[in-house]
Amino acid sequence: MTDHRDADDPAATARILPGPSDPSDTRAALHVQEEAVRIASELIAIDTSNYGDGSGPGERKAAEYVAALLDEVGVETELVEAAPGRSSLVARLAGRDPGRPGLLWHGHLDVVPARREDWQVDPFAGEIRDGYLWGRGAVDMKGADAMMLALIRSWAQAGHQPPRDVVVAFLADEESGSVHGSHWIVDHRPDLVEGCSEAISEVGGFSVTVPGRTGAPERLYLVETAEKGIAWLRLVAEGRAGHGSMVHEDNAVTRLAEAVTRVGTHRWPVRLTPTVRRLLDELAEVTGVPYDPADPIASLDALGGIARMLGAVVRNTANPTRLTAGYKTNVIPQQATAEIDARFLPGYEHELYDTIDSLIGPGVRRETIISDVALETEFSGPLIEAMITSLQDEDSGAHVVPYTMSGGTDNKAFSTLGIIGYGFTPLLLPPGLDFAALFHGVDERVPVEALHFGVRVLDRFLDSC
Ligand SMILES: [Zn+2]
């Protein structure tokens, strides 16, 4: 691992968090960390619930709030709207070397809805309690947006430049397919991210504590380098309509039910992609417990709650989620439909479709509702080294490993422009915290200390990216 900082380079003093040796710098560091928490709280208090049907408040208020924060420190922004109120905000920070390709640093401004009555706190108050910042978006992903903002503000105020251009984007609509966010930018304003070769964003760089070889706890930091692809499918069975009291052998409901049962109960084969294999190898190395390549699920248990996500990245999955047919008990309908949430591993898209087609059999048709690409990139290169170094500088025991995410992020959209995306939002989490459950969950919250840690790591990273 190389240290990219150079003592003779005046820009190398750009780091705002150089450690406790200089008390004035320490005060600056504390200020940035605290500002990140304050901004996160204020962003949570701006309700940007995305219901997926266009009925929500939209992102404009949040985008204007972000624009004001950046304007205050002289950072020029551009607000774009795919539809009224569906705002995204983009800014370009000039780097020290304009000859290098840029880094895109993106976060989404929308959140999934929350029902107040289910929560211990008001999900849109941004309350700090028991060392945690609570509220919808605390982890997904206003906390991360706030870390970006606090750091950019401090760098701009100090007049420091990152090593290369950094394009920051605060996006609309991630929680509903990004039609009004990243996909719109890719289709209509690709100039906003022009020249960027790589991107960092959400759901990666967080710690998971596992029992080490000697029994002492060890921390893994999971950097997202791969995402499963999305295939939301509709199955349609056609039959003959008729009276429910009579003999009837062409029943769409029966045929569909059989097809749905075959898909839902299919045991998908284990397929270890390079990223998943690397994670399993590193996990086995740290814990001293080997895994069974034919059935690695059991070894993932060491990872706690996140195993629920990682259990889904050793194979394709297809879960039936909706059924529709009929309008009266004594009327046999001529059509029945089901919806399937299917996800495929990088390289296994064809296997997914071929298998589903053979499972549904004749007389049932498959349609696509939504599909999006799978992603996988190597866990190597200067940017990965910068992630590893910046994490280990703040946590000397950090084991930094790649992982595959079961869902998707805006990295999918930007990948169509050739931008290689990573999940890198560093958080040092307490052992036993079920982080995976907090995404879209009730009582979503993030430790204040984890945000402070993330700001320190990202500051180092930004200086060496
Ligand atoms: Zn998110």
Side-chain angles (χ1 to χ4, degrees):
M1 259 66 72
T2 51
D3 188 337
H4 299 255
R5 291 188 292 278
D6 177 349
D8 297 329
D9 177 357
T13 57
R15 289 196 57 256
I16 45 160
L17 311 172
S21 56
D22 181 337
S24 66
D25 281 339
T26 304
R27 272 197 300 280
L30 289 174
H31 168 74
V32 181
Q33 293 175 170
E34 282 162 11
E35 185 168 88
V37 178
R38 175 180 63 83
I39 293 172
S41 167
E42 290 175 3
L43 270 174
I44 289 168
I46 303 173
D47 183 358
T48 52
S49 294
N50 187 343
Y51 295 90
D53 60 3
S55 67
E59 296 84 0
R60 185 183 291 164
K61 240 180 109 180
E64 285 173 347
Y65 166 81
V66 172
L69 285 176
L70 293 177
D71 182 61
E72 197 177 27
V73 295
V75 173
E76 207 175 299
T77 59
E78 183 171 352
L79 189 146
V80 293
E81 289 198 329
R86 307 308 305 270
S87 316
S88 297
L89 192 83
V90 184
R92 190 176 283 261
L93 315 174
R96 306 198 287 265
D97 181 355
R100 288 182 59 196
L103 175 74
L104 171 61
W105 192 6
H106 59 91
H108 60 84
L109 291 173
D110 62 323
V111 293
V112 292
R115 297 197 323 164
R116 271 165 220 266
E117 57 269 33
D118 297 337
W119 285 52
Q120 291 183 50
V121 300
D122 178 349
F124 298 103
E127 191 179 321
I128 292 169
R129 187 196 281 189
D130 305 329
Y132 282 76
L133 171 65
W134 297 63
R136 180 55 87 218
V139 297
D140 188 10
M141 64 173 289
K142 287 174 169 174
D145 294 334
M147 290 196 278
M148 289 166 71
L149 280 163
L151 271 173
I152 293 158
R153 277 166 58 83
S154 93
W155 278 54
Q157 277 170 320
H160 297 322
Q161 288 182 298
R164 54 169 162 164
D165 281 9
V166 173
V167 174
V168 292
F170 298 88
L171 302 163
D173 203 27
E174 195 276 339
E175 297 293 0
S176 189
S178 306
V179 177
H180 298 301
S182 58
H183 278 296
W184 186 87
I185 287 176
V186 164
D187 292 342
H188 297 92
R189 290 296 309 277
D191 58 296
L192 290 171
V193 296
E194 201 184 322
C196 291
S197 60
E198 294 160 312
I200 59 164
S201 188
E202 60 179 329
V203 215
F206 55 90
S207 71
V208 177
T209 305
V210 299
R213 285 172 177 275
T214 61
E218 298 277 356
R219 270 189 296 280
L220 264 54
Y221 287 80
L222 274 56
V223 171
E224 192 231 90
T225 57
E227 295 182 6
K228 277 180 109 174
I230 301 170
W232 290 1
L233 308 173
R234 183 181 295 111
L235 305 183
V236 184
E238 309 277 359
R240 189 163 45 78
H243 199 292
S245 71
M246 297 182 192
V247 174
H248 196 99
E249 265 146 27
D250 188 14
N251 187 319
V253 175
T254 309
R255 188 173 312 120
L256 181 85
E258 287 171 344
V260 167
T261 302
R262 286 193 295 270
V263 171
T265 56
H266 180 66
R267 189 103 182 111
W268 294 85
V270 169
R271 302 287 187 217
L272 297 186
T273 58
T275 303
V276 173
R277 194 174 282 277
R278 175 85 181 256
L279 172 69
L280 289 166
D281 288 344
E282 301 253 8
L283 179 63
E285 177 67 30
V286 170
T287 61
V289 181
Y291 66 93
D292 175 1
D295 185 14
I297 297 284
S299 69
L300 292 172
D301 285 347
L303 295 167
I306 205 75
R308 286 196 305 280
M309 182 209 279
L310 296 175
V313 300
V314 300
R315 48 165 60 97
N316 288 340
T317 55
N319 285 308
T321 49
R322 304 185 75 179
L323 287 169
T324 316
Y327 52 89
K328 194 164 184 291
T329 309
N330 62 352
V331 179
I332 297 167
Q334 62 188 18
Q335 193 185 73
T337 64
E339 294 181 16
I340 311 283
D341 183 350
R343 311 285 176 130
F344 53 90
L345 288 165
Y348 292 93
E349 184 173 7
H350 288 300
E351 185 179 77
L352 178 98
Y353 286 116
D354 291 349
T355 305
I356 288 192
D357 286 347
S358 70
L359 288 170
I360 62 178
V364 179
R365 165 171 100 240
R366 164 171 67 80
E367 299 172 351
T368 299
I369 303 168
I370 286 178
S371 67
D372 210 338
V373 292
L375 302 177
E376 183 159 40
T377 188
E378 291 194 7
F379 188 65
S380 61
L383 198 72
I384 291 291
E385 282 184 22
M387 291 179 198
I388 294 171
T389 307
S390 54
L391 277 167
Q392 289 178 338
D393 282 352
E394 290 296 330
D395 182 353
S396 56
H399 302 275
V400 187
V401 297
Y403 90 99
T404 304
M405 195 185 149
S406 61
T409 70
D410 282 322
N411 280 330
K412 285 193 193 318
F414 292 118
S415 77
T416 61
L417 297 175
I419 299 172
I420 298 168
Y422 302 89
F424 188 62
T425 296
L427 295 171
L428 198 174
L429 300 171
L433 178 72
D434 190 350
F435 188 53
L438 297 176
F439 284 81
H440 300 190
V442 167
D443 291 333
E444 181 177 346
R445 62 197 182 279
V446 65
V448 167
E449 285 293 332
L451 292 176
H452 290 175
F453 173 84
V455 167
R456 296 197 302 272
V457 174
L458 285 167
D459 176 62
R460 291 179 183 277
F461 172 77
L462 200 54
D463 195 40
S464 56
C465 67

